[in-house]
Amino acid sequence: SARANQRTVARLRARGVRIGEGCVIHTEQFSTEPYLVMLGDRVGISGGVKFLAHDGAAWLLRQRRPSAQAFGAIAVGDDCYIGENALLLAGTRVGRGCIVAAGAVVRGSFPDNSVIAGNPAKVAGRASLLVELLDRSDTTLDTLHLDGEQRRRLLLQRVTAEGSLP
């Protein structure tokens, strides 16, 4: 619900995450350094997404440098969507208007309008093209305004046993 999202955003901001306007966030996994994470406006973040702003491989320096740690900021531009269980690592910059696929392991800099997928994540296409395909697809339904029971009835009416829409 909108109220639950507002509470999540408030908790994350209190921990130091910089969050723009109009974001919807379904995770609170913002590293032990949440103040190194910045989200632009209108960013959607699915459940299971993790932001990891440190590099645990610094452990291997401990004999030479007992207190060594390695860090990197994570920035996500405006109008992005981060899919279920994606992992964004230290030193990552996601441009504006990007889609990060479910399960992607993201490190590095990605340009605006990218579909980012895989492990390691790579640019797999242009987000604007995927959005156009979704907009024209028979599988994209306007159901967000429906309550759970209305949505269920509509989906059961439209979806066949094979999982495709008629």
Side-chain angles (χ1 to χ4, degrees):
S1 77
R3 189 169 261 161
N5 184 64
Q6 289 172 344
R7 287 191 299 266
T8 298
V9 168
R11 278 192 304 274
L12 291 169
R13 283 181 174 151
R15 291 176 48 207
V17 181
R18 289 169 285 165
I19 302 171
E21 297 303 314
C23 294
V24 175
I25 302 173
H26 293 284
T27 186
E28 293 197 33
Q29 304 272 336
F30 280 78
S31 195
T32 51
E33 304 79 27
Y35 42 84
L36 294 179
V37 180
M38 191 281 298
L39 305 177
D41 296 333
R42 297 168 306 279
V43 174
I45 300 177
S46 296
V49 172
K50 292 182 184 176
F51 294 84
L52 191 59
H54 61 270
D55 187 338
W59 171 263
L60 299 176
L61 290 173
R62 293 289 166 79
Q63 285 194 341
R64 282 183 266 173
R65 297 174 58 188
S67 61
Q69 292 182 289
F71 303 96
I74 300 170
V76 177
D78 296 342
D79 302 305
C80 287
Y81 172 74
I82 312 296
E84 192 83 14
N85 293 323
L87 173 60
L88 284 79
L89 298 172
T92 291
R93 182 199 166 278
V94 174
R96 302 176 90 156
C98 290
I99 299 168
V100 175
V105 178
V106 185
R107 183 178 197 147
S109 187
F110 295 86
D112 296 351
N113 191 31
S114 294
V115 174
I116 302 162
N119 178 7
K122 296 179 178 10
V123 174
R126 293 197 321 237
S128 57
L129 294 176
L130 180 57
V131 169
E132 284 303 313
L133 289 172
L134 280 171
D135 190 36
R136 295 179 189 156
S137 173
D138 291 340
T139 63
T140 302
L141 305 172
D142 296 303
T143 60
L144 193 58
H145 68 287
L146 301 177
D147 68 32
E149 183 54 31
Q150 291 172 319
R151 184 178 301 122
R152 178 177 127 9
R153 278 197 306 265
L154 177 65
L155 293 176
L156 288 174
Q157 184 180 62
R158 296 275 312 268
V159 177
T160 67
E162 295 82 40
S164 61
L165 294 175

